[in-house]
Amino acid sequence: RTSILRCLEKAETAGEIEEELRRCPLIAQSSEGITAVRMAAWLRQLTDSKVEVRDVRGQLRDAVSEIDLGTEKIADLTRLLKKANDEIKDLKTRLEEQTRHRVAGESRIAELQTLVDNLYKDIEERKRGAERADTEKAELRNEVQYLREQLWVIQPLQ
């Protein structure tokens, strides 16, 4: 037994166990010993496979966790994208409304500018009319003055 245990301590993998146990003189001499070696190697392989499966399951759990995190991030990003799209729509609506107000304001400004232009024209016409009236008034004064002077000249003759 001691020699078998020493052989098992030296071996690390299933193949090494079988090799080490075959070197033991007690086992190599009997067919039951060879069968026991094969069973020990098979058990070691099974143990190694269980360890590998456990490692793979751990890796799979880690991968699933990463996928879940990725899925959560995608969901968060999707919510953010939807929110951004909603904000873009709101901004477009506000921009369209402001554009309508701007166009209406520009139209009103154009109307007021036309009104102001017409008022300036009217003022200019009135100024010209007032100047003509002043000129006619001055001419009438001159004419009245002339007539008065003529009247003074005629009155003494009568």
Side-chain angles (χ1 to χ4, degrees):
R1 285 186 183 179
T2 307
S3 67
I4 292 173
L5 289 174
R6 281 190 200 132
C7 289
L8 290 174
E9 285 175 359
K10 291 178 185 176
E12 291 184 13
T13 65
E16 290 175 1
I17 290 173
E18 190 172 347
E19 286 178 32
E20 290 296 327
L21 289 176
R22 284 180 192 236
R23 287 185 197 150
C24 287
L26 292 173
I27 293 174
Q29 293 172 1
S30 71
S31 62
E32 294 149 354
I34 297 291
T35 303
V37 166
R38 287 189 181 135
M39 286 184 72
W42 181 79
L43 287 174
R44 184 62 177 244
Q45 282 180 334
L46 184 61
T47 303
D48 291 346
S49 295
K50 284 181 181 180
V51 169
E52 286 178 25
V53 167
R54 186 177 45 226
D55 291 344
V56 169
R57 282 185 180 159
Q59 291 171 354
L60 183 61
R61 272 192 305 276
D62 293 344
V64 167
S65 295
E66 286 182 31
I67 289 171
D68 290 343
L69 285 175
T71 303
E72 288 176 17
K73 284 183 181 180
I74 288 171
D76 290 342
L77 291 174
T78 302
R79 281 191 293 277
L80 287 173
L81 182 61
K82 184 181 179 334
K83 185 178 178 181
N85 281 335
D86 291 344
E87 287 180 23
I88 288 171
K89 287 178 186 176
D90 290 344
L91 288 172
K92 282 182 180 179
T93 302
R94 286 178 33 204
L95 179 63
E96 288 169 0
E97 185 177 318
Q98 289 176 353
T99 301
R100 282 193 302 273
H101 287 301
R102 182 183 52 81
V103 168
E106 288 174 352
S107 176
R108 182 66 179 144
I109 289 170
E111 289 173 13
L112 292 173
Q113 187 63 49
T114 302
L115 181 62
V116 167
D117 291 344
N118 290 338
L119 287 173
Y120 276 124
K121 287 178 187 175
D122 190 40
I123 289 170
E124 288 298 318
E125 285 178 25
R126 288 179 186 223
K127 279 183 182 179
R128 283 192 297 270
E131 289 173 0
R132 279 193 306 263
D134 286 345
T135 304
E136 286 177 15
K137 187 177 171 184
E139 287 175 2
L140 286 173
R141 279 190 189 143
N142 289 339
E143 201 173 315
V144 166
Q145 183 64 33
Y146 175 76
L147 289 174
R148 280 188 187 151
E149 289 174 3
Q150 291 298 320
L151 189 67
W152 282 101
V153 170
I154 294 177
Q155 272 183 353
L157 294 177
Q158 292 179 346

mmCIF file of all heavy atoms in Angstrom, residues 69-94:
data_model
loop_
_atom_site.group_PDB
_atom_site.id
_atom_site.type_symbol
_atom_site.label_atom_id
_atom_site.label_comp_id
_atom_site.label_asym_id
_atom_site.label_seq_id
_atom_site.Cartn_x
_atom_site.Cartn_y
_atom_site.Cartn_z
ATOM 1 N N LEU A 69 -24.848 42.053 -17.868
ATOM 2 C CA LEU A 69 -24.405 43.446 -17.722
ATOM 3 C C LEU A 69 -24.499 44.178 -19.055
ATOM 4 O O LEU A 69 -24.953 45.323 -19.119
ATOM 5 C CB LEU A 69 -22.968 43.504 -17.193
ATOM 6 C CG LEU A 69 -22.768 43.196 -15.719
ATOM 7 C CD1 LEU A 69 -21.275 43.163 -15.389
ATOM 8 C CD2 LEU A 69 -23.467 44.214 -14.847
ATOM 9 N N GLY A 70 -24.071 43.491 -20.113
ATOM 10 C CA GLY A 70 -24.160 44.087 -21.448
ATOM 11 C C GLY A 70 -25.604 44.363 -21.837
ATOM 12 O O GLY A 70 -25.917 45.408 -22.397
ATOM 13 N N THR A 71 -26.486 43.415 -21.506
ATOM 14 C CA THR A 71 -27.910 43.596 -21.804
ATOM 15 C C THR A 71 -28.468 44.779 -21.026
ATOM 16 O O THR A 71 -29.229 45.591 -21.570
ATOM 17 C CB THR A 71 -28.689 42.307 -21.457
ATOM 18 O OG1 THR A 71 -28.128 41.214 -22.189
ATOM 19 C CG2 THR A 71 -30.150 42.444 -21.794
ATOM 20 N N GLU A 72 -28.077 44.899 -19.768
ATOM 21 C CA GLU A 72 -28.525 46.045 -18.956
ATOM 22 C C GLU A 72 -28.001 47.352 -19.540
ATOM 23 O O GLU A 72 -28.726 48.340 -19.619
ATOM 24 C CB GLU A 72 -28.059 45.898 -17.508
ATOM 25 C CG GLU A 72 -28.798 44.826 -16.731
ATOM 26 C CD GLU A 72 -28.236 44.634 -15.320
ATOM 27 O OE1 GLU A 72 -27.513 45.536 -14.843
ATOM 28 O OE2 GLU A 72 -28.519 43.591 -14.727
ATOM 29 N N LYS A 73 -26.729 47.347 -19.963
ATOM 30 C CA LYS A 73 -26.153 48.552 -20.563
ATOM 31 C C LYS A 73 -26.889 48.899 -21.853
ATOM 32 O O LYS A 73 -27.170 50.071 -22.118
ATOM 33 C CB LYS A 73 -24.662 48.365 -20.840
ATOM 34 C CG LYS A 73 -23.811 48.444 -19.596
ATOM 35 C CD LYS A 73 -22.343 48.314 -19.929
ATOM 36 C CE LYS A 73 -21.494 48.377 -18.671
ATOM 37 N NZ LYS A 73 -20.067 48.244 -18.943
ATOM 38 N N ILE A 74 -27.190 47.876 -22.649
ATOM 39 C CA ILE A 74 -27.928 48.108 -23.899
ATOM 40 C C ILE A 74 -29.298 48.689 -23.581
ATOM 41 O O ILE A 74 -29.753 49.633 -24.231
ATOM 42 C CB ILE A 74 -28.051 46.808 -24.732
ATOM 43 C CG1 ILE A 74 -26.688 46.450 -25.321
ATOM 44 C CG2 ILE A 74 -29.092 46.947 -25.828
ATOM 45 C CD1 ILE A 74 -26.632 45.084 -25.974
ATOM 46 N N ALA A 75 -29.960 48.147 -22.564
ATOM 47 C CA ALA A 75 -31.273 48.670 -22.177
ATOM 48 C C ALA A 75 -31.153 50.117 -21.715
ATOM 49 O O ALA A 75 -31.969 50.972 -22.085
ATOM 50 C CB ALA A 75 -31.881 47.805 -21.075
ATOM 51 N N ASP A 76 -30.107 50.411 -20.911
ATOM 52 C CA ASP A 76 -29.886 51.794 -20.459
ATOM 53 C C ASP A 76 -29.623 52.709 -21.646
ATOM 54 O O ASP A 76 -30.186 53.807 -21.736
ATOM 55 C CB ASP A 76 -28.708 51.870 -19.481
ATOM 56 C CG ASP A 76 -29.009 51.230 -18.129
ATOM 57 O OD1 ASP A 76 -30.215 51.038 -17.819
ATOM 58 O OD2 ASP A 76 -28.060 50.937 -17.378
ATOM 59 N N LEU A 77 -28.771 52.252 -22.553
ATOM 60 C CA LEU A 77 -28.460 53.061 -23.730
ATOM 61 C C LEU A 77 -29.687 53.241 -24.616
ATOM 62 O O LEU A 77 -29.895 54.315 -25.196
ATOM 63 C CB LEU A 77 -27.313 52.428 -24.522
ATOM 64 C CG LEU A 77 -25.944 52.459 -23.834
ATOM 65 C CD1 LEU A 77 -24.920 51.668 -24.640
ATOM 66 C CD2 LEU A 77 -25.467 53.881 -23.627
ATOM 67 N N THR A 78 -30.513 52.206 -24.699
ATOM 68 C CA THR A 78 -31.745 52.312 -25.488
ATOM 69 C C THR A 78 -32.675 53.346 -24.868
ATOM 70 O O THR A 78 -33.271 54.162 -25.587
ATOM 71 C CB THR A 78 -32.448 50.935 -25.569
ATOM 72 O OG1 THR A 78 -31.537 49.991 -26.152
ATOM 73 C CG2 THR A 78 -33.708 51.003 -26.393
ATOM 74 N N ARG A 79 -32.788 53.320 -23.533
ATOM 75 C CA ARG A 79 -33.620 54.335 -22.853
ATOM 76 C C ARG A 79 -33.062 55.731 -23.093
ATOM 77 O O ARG A 79 -33.808 56.675 -23.374
ATOM 78 C CB ARG A 79 -33.697 54.043 -21.357
ATOM 79 C CG ARG A 79 -34.686 52.939 -20.988
ATOM 80 C CD ARG A 79 -34.925 52.861 -19.483
ATOM 81 N NE ARG A 79 -33.754 52.441 -18.733
ATOM 82 C CZ ARG A 79 -33.367 51.171 -18.554
ATOM 83 N NH1 ARG A 79 -34.093 50.205 -19.070
ATOM 84 N NH2 ARG A 79 -32.289 50.887 -17.862
ATOM 85 N N LEU A 80 -31.739 55.865 -22.981
ATOM 86 C CA LEU A 80 -31.110 57.167 -23.224
ATOM 87 C C LEU A 80 -31.330 57.624 -24.671
ATOM 88 O O LEU A 80 -31.600 58.799 -24.929
ATOM 89 C CB LEU A 80 -29.611 57.108 -22.922
ATOM 90 C CG LEU A 80 -29.218 57.053 -21.455
ATOM 91 C CD1 LEU A 80 -27.709 56.827 -21.324
ATOM 92 C CD2 LEU A 80 -29.621 58.323 -20.735
ATOM 93 N N LEU A 81 -31.230 56.688 -25.604
ATOM 94 C CA LEU A 81 -31.450 57.007 -27.012
ATOM 95 C C LEU A 81 -32.879 57.458 -27.252
ATOM 96 O O LEU A 81 -33.121 58.437 -27.957
ATOM 97 C CB LEU A 81 -31.107 55.798 -27.888
ATOM 98 C CG LEU A 81 -31.225 55.979 -29.388
ATOM 99 C CD1 LEU A 81 -30.270 57.066 -29.862
ATOM 100 C CD2 LEU A 81 -30.916 54.674 -30.094
ATOM 101 N N LYS A 82 -33.838 56.761 -26.630
ATOM 102 C CA LYS A 82 -35.248 57.141 -26.770
ATOM 103 C C LYS A 82 -35.469 58.530 -26.181
ATOM 104 O O LYS A 82 -36.146 59.369 -26.774
ATOM 105 C CB LYS A 82 -36.148 56.124 -26.092
ATOM 106 C CG LYS A 82 -37.632 56.419 -26.276
ATOM 107 C CD LYS A 82 -38.508 55.413 -25.585
ATOM 108 C CE LYS A 82 -39.977 55.658 -25.716
ATOM 109 N NZ LYS A 82 -40.431 56.989 -25.939
ATOM 110 N N LYS A 83 -34.863 58.764 -25.016
ATOM 111 C CA LYS A 83 -34.998 60.078 -24.378
ATOM 112 C C LYS A 83 -34.395 61.165 -25.274
ATOM 113 O O LYS A 83 -34.987 62.226 -25.455
ATOM 114 C CB LYS A 83 -34.303 60.062 -23.018
ATOM 115 C CG LYS A 83 -34.471 61.332 -22.219
ATOM 116 C CD LYS A 83 -33.800 61.225 -20.865
ATOM 117 C CE LYS A 83 -33.923 62.515 -20.080
ATOM 118 N NZ LYS A 83 -33.251 62.434 -18.789
ATOM 119 N N ALA A 84 -33.223 60.875 -25.841
ATOM 120 C CA ALA A 84 -32.581 61.844 -26.739
ATOM 121 C C ALA A 84 -33.445 62.098 -27.970
ATOM 122 O O ALA A 84 -33.596 63.239 -28.413
ATOM 123 C CB ALA A 84 -31.195 61.339 -27.151
ATOM 124 N N ASN A 85 -34.033 61.028 -28.525
ATOM 125 C CA ASN A 85 -34.917 61.192 -29.693
ATOM 126 C C ASN A 85 -36.134 62.033 -29.332
ATOM 127 O O ASN A 85 -36.567 62.880 -30.123
ATOM 128 C CB ASN A 85 -35.352 59.832 -30.245
ATOM 129 C CG ASN A 85 -34.281 59.189 -31.091
ATOM 130 O OD1 ASN A 85 -33.433 59.872 -31.659
ATOM 131 N ND2 ASN A 85 -34.302 57.873 -31.180
ATOM 132 N N ASP A 86 -36.700 61.789 -28.141
ATOM 133 C CA ASP A 86 -37.847 62.590 -27.699
ATOM 134 C C ASP A 86 -37.449 64.058 -27.550
ATOM 135 O O ASP A 86 -38.198 64.954 -27.945
ATOM 136 C CB ASP A 86 -38.403 62.056 -26.372
ATOM 137 C CG ASP A 86 -39.083 60.697 -26.520
ATOM 138 O OD1 ASP A 86 -39.383 60.315 -27.675
ATOM 139 O OD2 ASP A 86 -39.303 60.019 -25.499
ATOM 140 N N GLU A 87 -36.269 64.296 -26.982
ATOM 141 C CA GLU A 87 -35.797 65.678 -26.827
ATOM 142 C C GLU A 87 -35.574 66.325 -28.193
ATOM 143 O O GLU A 87 -35.887 67.499 -28.384
ATOM 144 C CB GLU A 87 -34.510 65.714 -26.002
ATOM 145 C CG GLU A 87 -34.725 65.441 -24.531
ATOM 146 C CD GLU A 87 -33.435 65.489 -23.719
ATOM 147 O OE1 GLU A 87 -32.467 66.137 -24.158
ATOM 148 O OE2 GLU A 87 -33.416 64.876 -22.643
ATOM 149 N N ILE A 88 -35.044 65.562 -29.142
ATOM 150 C CA ILE A 88 -34.841 66.079 -30.494
ATOM 151 C C ILE A 88 -36.182 66.459 -31.115
ATOM 152 O O ILE A 88 -36.315 67.529 -31.727
ATOM 153 C CB ILE A 88 -34.095 65.049 -31.371
ATOM 154 C CG1 ILE A 88 -32.630 64.960 -30.939
ATOM 155 C CG2 ILE A 88 -34.186 65.401 -32.853
ATOM 156 C CD1 ILE A 88 -31.858 63.825 -31.577
ATOM 157 N N LYS A 89 -37.188 65.595 -30.952
ATOM 158 C CA LYS A 89 -38.519 65.908 -31.485
ATOM 159 C C LYS A 89 -39.072 67.175 -30.843
ATOM 160 O O LYS A 89 -39.633 68.033 -31.535
ATOM 161 C CB LYS A 89 -39.481 64.744 -31.239
ATOM 162 C CG LYS A 89 -39.241 63.553 -32.124
ATOM 163 C CD LYS A 89 -40.198 62.422 -31.798
ATOM 164 C CE LYS A 89 -39.878 61.171 -32.587
ATOM 165 N NZ LYS A 89 -40.733 60.051 -32.209
ATOM 166 N N ASP A 90 -38.913 67.293 -29.511
ATOM 167 C CA ASP A 90 -39.389 68.492 -28.812
ATOM 168 C C ASP A 90 -38.669 69.739 -29.337
ATOM 169 O O ASP A 90 -39.306 70.774 -29.573
ATOM 170 C CB ASP A 90 -39.172 68.369 -27.299
ATOM 171 C CG ASP A 90 -40.092 67.339 -26.654
ATOM 172 O OD1 ASP A 90 -41.095 66.949 -27.295
ATOM 173 O OD2 ASP A 90 -39.799 66.923 -25.518
ATOM 174 N N LEU A 91 -37.355 69.620 -29.511
ATOM 175 C CA LEU A 91 -36.588 70.766 -30.005
ATOM 176 C C LEU A 91 -37.002 71.134 -31.431
ATOM 177 O O LEU A 91 -37.102 72.314 -31.769
ATOM 178 C CB LEU A 91 -35.092 70.470 -29.946
ATOM 179 C CG LEU A 91 -34.480 70.442 -28.547
ATOM 180 C CD1 LEU A 91 -33.033 69.947 -28.611
ATOM 181 C CD2 LEU A 91 -34.543 71.802 -27.894
ATOM 182 N N LYS A 92 -37.251 70.114 -32.261
ATOM 183 C CA LYS A 92 -37.705 70.395 -33.631
ATOM 184 C C LYS A 92 -39.053 71.110 -33.606
ATOM 185 O O LYS A 92 -39.270 72.057 -34.359
ATOM 186 C CB LYS A 92 -37.827 69.096 -34.437
ATOM 187 C CG LYS A 92 -36.508 68.564 -34.925
ATOM 188 C CD LYS A 92 -36.700 67.312 -35.759
ATOM 189 C CE LYS A 92 -35.399 66.768 -36.267
ATOM 190 N NZ LYS A 92 -35.582 65.529 -37.064
ATOM 191 N N THR A 93 -39.951 70.646 -32.733
ATOM 192 C CA THR A 93 -41.267 71.280 -32.616
ATOM 193 C C THR A 93 -41.106 72.725 -32.170
ATOM 194 O O THR A 93 -41.740 73.629 -32.736
ATOM 195 C CB THR A 93 -42.146 70.501 -31.613
ATOM 196 O OG1 THR A 93 -42.267 69.144 -32.063
ATOM 197 C CG2 THR A 93 -43.519 71.122 -31.489
ATOM 198 N N ARG A 94 -40.261 72.942 -31.160
ATOM 199 C CA ARG A 94 -40.037 74.313 -30.680
ATOM 200 C C ARG A 94 -39.408 75.171 -31.762
ATOM 201 O O ARG A 94 -39.767 76.338 -31.937
ATOM 202 C CB ARG A 94 -39.160 74.297 -29.431
ATOM 203 C CG ARG A 94 -39.934 73.808 -28.211
ATOM 204 C CD ARG A 94 -39.170 73.710 -26.928
ATOM 205 N NE ARG A 94 -38.127 74.677 -26.722
ATOM 206 C CZ ARG A 94 -37.098 74.477 -25.915
ATOM 207 N NH1 ARG A 94 -36.987 73.336 -25.263
ATOM 208 N NH2 ARG A 94 -36.166 75.380 -25.757
#
